[in-house]
Amino acid sequence: PAAALAALGVENESFANLSWSYIMFPAVSGNAVLYGLAAVLSGLREEVRSALTAWQWRIGTRDEKLIKEIFDRCDLDGSGTMEINELHVAMRYLVGKDVS
């Protein structure tokens, strides 16, 4: 900070401290506002996504046949239920990589 102040020609220490607060306050408060906005939008996006998915299930645009096919492929023992290892296989099939 001292080199920056010297380059600006600031010699008064009280002015130097005041000027740094003018620089730091907008940066810190701006980041806080952006973080808060991102948190709110994230929650809103999740609500919209779940509402859209529920709506798609209600009107039948979700392909139940495809989901049944994936389930049958991943139900390795044919029990009609998913064990944890079968769930890992299903997630690997859907996502294309291992999911922990």
Side-chain angles (χ1 to χ4, degrees):
L5 292 175
L8 292 173
V10 176
E11 297 175 5
N12 186 348
E13 188 176 318
S14 64
F15 178 75
N17 291 335
L18 183 64
S19 66
W20 282 111
S21 67
Y22 280 120
I23 293 171
M24 293 305 293
F25 178 74
V28 172
S29 62
N31 285 337
V33 168
L34 288 176
Y35 179 78
L37 185 62
V40 169
L41 289 178
S42 174
L44 181 64
R45 186 180 68 187
E46 191 62 36
E47 288 179 25
V48 168
R49 182 182 300 149
S50 65
L52 181 61
T53 301
W55 177 72
Q56 287 175 331
W57 278 109
R58 280 194 307 273
I59 66 170
T61 57
R62 285 286 183 164
D63 193 358
E64 293 180 30
K65 182 194 272 187
L66 175 63
I67 293 172
K68 176 73 173 138
E69 179 183 325
I70 293 170
F71 179 83
D72 290 340
R73 285 184 186 179
C74 298
D75 185 18
L76 301 175
D77 59 2
S79 65
T81 60
M82 291 289 260
E83 304 295 329
I84 190 70
N85 62 338
E86 295 170 335
L87 183 60
H88 284 292
V89 171
M91 293 303 292
R92 188 179 316 126
Y93 178 77
L94 290 171
V95 177
K97 61 181 178 180
D98 286 333
V99 178
S100 57

